[in-house]
Amino acid sequence: MTAANADSTVPHYLDSLLDDLDETWGGWFTRLGWGDPAPGRVLIEPGTRFRTECTAGDDPSDSNIPSDLPNAFFCSLDVQANGDGKSTKGSIVLPVKTFQGIWNHEVFGVSTPVAGDFTAATVVAHEYGHNVMYRIADVLGLSRSSFPTGNNPELLADCLAGNWAATVYQRDALSPKDIIEVATLLPVIGDPGPNQGHGTIRERATALTVGLTGPQFNRQGQPGDCLTRYWPEAF
């Protein structure tokens, strides 16, 4: 990515990444007879804004998300086209300018010594993890009382991101630099103390690792490892 090609390169990368996540998780859902988990996609291009239903309120400006929002998120209320162009409830929202900053070592407004494509991939895979939770709850008809609590929704999304990373490793596409990028990302996204909503650096590192290598760190992680550990209310 360069300053000259960022507006085309980064959206193309994000779309390709979402295609890969759709294919990976789609295979697992298909084997279970759970249908298509592909979420709607929102790439907020530089200079544009997106109105999300997840923060819609009396003040319209609260829900108009700019392309440099220092975050990415999954909204279960937003109805957008998925990768096949099908209108889908539940969408992943990615501010493109914020992701452009990752290649310049700026992650959600924090300077980091190492950042790049796999930093971006880990963030997107985490949000896709929230989508996977939403699809599982929907297909199994789970009530809100059966949802994970405390830090577990975020740690489960981390763990599911690790599941996807395990498939990248199986394709010989996970490099030592990619691992360093994830290690550098953790201090940015980890909570400074326990029970603050997302998980500490150590808790988030553990969740990603369980997803990648299983609870005993001796094999490729599986979604079931993540579900039983971080969603005991239902699994």
Side-chain angles (χ1 to χ4, degrees), residues 53-54 75-79 89-91 134:
E53 294 298 325
C54 277
C75 177
S76 62
L77 302 177
D78 288 331
V79 179
K89 185 178 181 181
S91 301
Y134 170 76

Side-chain angles (χ1 to χ4, degrees), residues 137 150 155:
L155 296 175

Side-chain angles (χ1 to χ4, degrees), residues 91 112 114 148 191:
S91 301
T112 62
V114 180
D191 291 332

Side-chain angles (χ1 to χ4, degrees), residues 212-230:
L212 183 66
T213 64
Q216 302 300 320
F217 313 130
N218 60 354
R219 58 172 172 77
Q220 180 173 337
Q222 299 294 322
D225 299 328
C226 301
L227 295 173
T228 56
R229 186 177 183 120
Y230 296 110

